[in-house]
Amino acid sequence: MSGHPKDAAGNDIPPTLLGLMCCRRKSDLKKLAQRTVIARDEPANLVLAALSGVLPWLHQRHHRNFTPEHLEWGEKDFAAMRDSKPGKLAPAAQKAMNKTMSMFNERRLLNGHLFYTPDLLNWHLIYFDQRDYSDRNNHWTQGSHLHFINYLWPHRDAQSTWDEFRSGNPMMRGSLHVAWRKNDPLRAQPQTVSVAERESL
């Protein structure tokens, strides 16, 4: 008998995004996340499955560019660049250029997908930015990944979590890191939920 998390029918829950969404205990979810490696096409397949109605969850998405306020250009920056002459940049123009260069390192291109039942009680947020997706200088030691958080987190609900993600610079403390191998060959993932699982949601 394996120590892997089980579904309602007593079968091992597969290490996939859909498998993570079927865990009923946070401890099981954490264990499964540690051995899950997401195929590069799996998030897109999950979205398509939700949109086609074969999953018990509805889907919302949100994509945006977050730039720290101190790197936003103001009128002085535009004026400094407009008035600059050929040759070495004046200090004000150089400051504007430095902001632009820093922006590429500090901005976040956020992508979030919320899967939820109509009553909002069973929900799952999957999100990442360009740095999570990158293989270079990744903040997670295992490299490319996405973040996962859901209804099993105490003191969290679908609406406030979704609102948090869509505003400011979301951190989502406590979210799980799930390995995402974007360079793996495309592989078909079963994107269905068993009758027993559907009835238990």
Side-chain angles (χ1 to χ4, degrees):
M1 186 175 188
S2 78
H4 296 157
K6 306 290 183 183
D7 64 17
N11 302 311
D12 284 353
I13 296 176
T16 62
L17 276 178
L18 188 58
L20 296 175
M21 294 166 73
C22 289
C23 287
R24 291 193 192 81
R25 296 188 306 177
K26 191 175 178 183
S27 59
D28 287 342
L29 175 57
K30 286 182 174 180
K31 288 177 187 175
L32 189 63
Q34 288 176 352
R35 66 185 187 91
T36 297
V37 178
I38 304 301
R40 66 175 173 166
D41 58 333
E42 199 170 334
N45 287 345
L46 190 67
V47 168
L48 292 173
L51 293 176
S52 66
V54 300
L55 297 178
W57 298 282
L58 302 173
H59 171 260
Q60 288 285 322
R61 63 182 174 82
H62 183 72
H63 310 287
R64 68 187 170 93
N65 180 354
F66 171 79
T67 301
E69 192 172 324
H70 70 279
L71 295 179
E72 296 281 1
W73 270 34
E75 184 52 43
K76 288 182 179 179
D77 299 304
F78 286 108
M81 292 304 294
R82 183 181 58 241
D83 298 339
S84 65
K85 304 286 190 270
K88 185 177 179 181
L89 291 174
Q94 185 61 57
K95 182 179 178 182
M97 284 301 297
N98 291 344
K99 279 187 180 182
T100 300
M101 300 307 293
S102 295
M103 189 183 302
F104 289 107
N105 294 323
E106 296 186 41
R107 69 177 177 171
R108 297 181 70 190
L109 306 177
L110 290 156
N111 298 275
H113 297 273
L114 181 70
F115 299 87
Y116 59 97
T117 51
D119 60 9
L120 298 180
L121 295 179
N122 186 303
W123 59 271
H124 313 267
L125 174 61
I126 297 163
Y127 72 94
F128 60 94
D129 65 26
Q130 81 282 8
R131 288 174 287 185
D132 298 325
Y133 193 63
S134 175
D135 291 321
R136 297 179 58 207
N137 301 319
N138 200 296
H139 71 270
W140 193 44
T141 56
Q142 296 184 43
S144 182
H145 65 282
L146 51 76
H147 294 266
F148 185 95
I149 193 167
N150 72 5
Y151 72 97
L152 296 173
W153 269 247
H155 314 300
R156 275 203 175 272
D157 61 73
Q159 190 61 61
S160 62
T161 301
W162 190 231
D163 289 345
E164 180 183 346
F165 177 76
R166 294 185 301 160
S167 61
N169 186 16
M171 301 310 287
M172 302 293 168
R173 297 192 185 281
S175 66
L176 298 178
H177 290 67
V178 183
W180 189 8
R181 297 298 174 253
K182 63 178 184 177
N183 295 322
D184 285 351
L186 295 175
R187 69 177 188 230
Q189 289 291 332
Q191 300 292 343
T192 59
V193 175
S194 69
V195 172
E197 286 296 328
R198 185 180 287 269
E199 290 176 351
S200 71
L201 294 174

